[in-house]
Amino acid sequence: MMRNEYSILPFTFKRLPHRKMLMVNQSGEFIFVSSNDFNDLLNNDLSAGSPTYFELKGKHFLADTDLDIAQEMVATQLRSRKSFLRHFSSLHMIVVTARCNFICDYCHASSAALEQQRVDMNWKVAKKTVDLIFSSPSPVLKIEFQGGEPLLNWPIIKEIFHYGTFLNRFAKRQLEFVICTNLTLLTEEMIDFIKEHKIAISTSLDGPKLIQDLHRKTREGYSGYDVFHSNLQRLRERIGHDGASALLTITKTNLSKLQEVIDHYVELGFDGVFLRALNPYGFARQNMEQLGYSVEAFVSEYKNILQYLIELNLQGIPFAEYYTTLLLQRIFTPFSTGFVDLQSPSGAAISGVIYDYNGEVYPTDEARMLARTGDKHFRMGHVLRNNYEEVFGGSLVKELVKKSCIEVLPGCASCVYQAYCGVDPIRNYVETKDIVGHRPSSDFCKKNTMILDHLFQLIDENDPDVIDVFWSWITRRPLEEIRHDKFSRNSP
Amino acid sequence: MINLVGIALNFQYPIIGIVTTTPLNPFIRRERIFVSTKINSSVFGYACCITSQNVVAIPRGSFVHSVSQTETLIDGDIVLVTPEGRINVMHRSCDADHTVFITNRCNSRCIMCPQPPSNDPPDLQDINEKVLSLIKAGSLQHIGITGGEPTVVLDQLCQTLVYLKSNFPNAFISLLTNGRRLSDFNLAKQVVAVKNKKLLFCIPLYADNDVQHDAIVGVPGAFADTIQGIYNLYRLGRRMEVRVVVMRQNFARLTAISEFIYRNMPFVAHIAFMGMEYTGEAEQHLEDLWVDPDEYSQQLYAAVWHLHRRGMNISIYNIPLCLLAEPLWRFARDSISTWKKNYLEPCNSCSVKEKCGGVFGTSAVQSENISPLSL
């Protein structure tokens, strides 16, 4: 082997402090190298047999005698990473009503008042919706009931459940049901049904009573928290602990009190939280003044709370942050992680889809909200008037997919985090009237970049305690099972 | 393998049979080899007789006489006796394990090969088939197929797999192969055409790059072949174990090998880190290869933990407990075959001897750091 005779395989990179570089290749393998080694690599001055040469070779950043098999390996890795694309839409959200007994000031769905029966889904639309869902080729079908408050239209939930289950006797898919509810309208009959049919429950929890009741207001003026709390206990007594998960909405109010919020989650027996920044849709857009905060403020709190969570885990309280977990899975593992809001091509329509109460089909909840405000740009079709091919094979969906491949988007194509990030064309359109969007002014881009910067800083620091906690989240195993021994302090 | 030696009498071909130490009814003697200190002329009908006596004047029947240590042969053992007077125990009656040495030939030239390749005796396949036919169907829990490189004799390998599937359907089969020939998808398909559900392909990988791996295997392109072979087996839905043999050439990059395996073949069922057996080629290249397990215990810990964090199944073979960091004990297996396993003088006073897999009695050198533990 002569020196200098190697090919450089595709990668993206970023300069870090202290003359260090982060390099990431197409299949998400990463490496930290010194600026000197980086320059040597590019100038074909890296000597074969040096430690850096072997590191870069083993992770497929360069290849020489092994060029063919190296390409084969990268291709195999890339194929597995993108395998979420194989099955097409598996998440099907159904808005069974736009009515709600709450009027939260950050509501995306801009919910309707209780007496407006005309915003309930009827059986004709519901049946056609289920027929359409079963036209999807996906071996896994997850039907998620949304609103409004879906429990206000309980009869149609049962109808959809029974009809879907009936169709599945022949279709034989892995069929799952979820109800997204504020829990306040839960009756014994509903609990029986949920228990009997193993339906999952997703609820909303913003923190302790004061915080929860501040933004999540009931239309009738009573405290929503108390009812939520007692119903959650009732539900758990019947269906066990894992049957209910909670979503947190972060507003200006609880952003500074996240530690308190986490403590409350722990107290109520949840084992994880998803830290989402507030998105500019629906009521939230009108109320941004009172509710909103800058990306910088969010990320700074995120860093604090991540530190807090790591300490919590190390003290023996298992509690995960799901967004971090998702990113870490992409950074550390070779597996596919489809995640509708952060994938490439975007999950809009091809991974998840939403059916409005009136039968209109949209790629995402945000696209549906946009239609509510008069812009029907993303309307894929109507369950009563269009068949599966027209809804999912139309020019709109083709355009969404074509223009949401991160690998070729301006600003993303050369980004070091490309392999770990994703695309949100709907949000791009809302912000710039163009689904390609404009990265330099995009909060979505800024937030993910800052979070990934932070995670890579932690990875570079390589504190074994922190990395142990990360792996317990990634592999969903108890921390004690993977705790390192003091004996050794290398290897992330 | 236990080998005894004696003087052969009255036969020109190898004989394979089942040991019996008590005289049998003449009608069922054909497959039996009679082992006794008292041999007289009434022993006709046996395939062969083995005795410690000095036998001279018996005109009929095959004999091996003047054999010492005949007491090591137990009823039910399957032995091979050769016209040169060698007695090889091919299968111990008490073992639920059996190993088929399917060939001595190999397409690699590994610098640390414990059994350097050679040509096959013409009757090797017949001998293997005969031995298998004498083992009671269904009595085996585990069968190893090894060589040499089994895929070099592809047809025999496929025949053997078919035979094992019908006669030992419940036995786990480990096929020790370098996987190189399986880089040809059609050949890989032939091997897996026999749908042995319990077949595990055990494939060695010595480095995370071709330069170091090929240098150890002694064949340029071996790394690419093996990786492609692994990919083909995965496409065909087969279970695999990757084996990392630790030596001076690769111990510094053990964690890199772990990461390489996880990134490129996370589908493997099992990963084994293996201590070396310093015999054959390995003994010849001792200077280049030798590294005390004590010296790489930190690298081994890091490499094992790397995969353990990632939820992979890991084992450590052939390294005694006193040379392993204690958190690694849970991964150590009793991996050395009974007839090779040994304990050293200091081991007698060791409190964990019962749990320990010992060392290779066949190795030319032993670690100087083997010392009794008191827990």
Side-chain angles (χ1 to χ4, degrees), chain A residues 28-30 53-55 57-60 65-66 69 72-73 76-77 81 331-335 464 467-468 471 475 477 481-485 487-488 490-492, chain B residues 208-212 223-225 227-228 231 253 255-256 259-260 262-267 297-299 301-303 305-312 325 327 330:
Chain A
E29 291 205 70
F30 66 91
Y53 163 88
F54 281 132
E55 282 297 315
K57 197 170 159 77
K59 289 176 188 276
H60 315 306
T65 44
D66 56 340
I69 195 72
E72 185 67 34
M73 287 191 270
T76 304
Q77 284 196 34
R81 272 184 106 79
I331 292 167
F332 277 132
T333 85
F335 303 116
I467 304 290
D468 277 347
W471 277 106
T475 58
R477 286 184 299 168
E481 198 179 307
I482 47 178
R483 284 296 267 144
H484 67 284
D485 196 81
F487 162 85
S488 160
N490 43 11
S491 131
Chain B
D208 63 333
N209 61 78
D210 62 331
V211 175
Q212 291 176 307
F223 177 78
D225 289 348
I227 300 288
Q228 193 59 59
Y231 280 169
R253 291 191 58 75
T255 304
E259 175 70 358
F260 179 87
Y262 181 66
R263 288 281 185 175
N264 295 286
M265 44 193 82
F267 45 77
S297 66
Q298 200 142 359
Q299 282 85 353
Y301 173 84
W305 220 251
H306 191 88
L307 289 167
H308 175 62
R309 267 174 167 171
R310 285 155 177 74
M312 307 291 278
R330 57 193 278 199

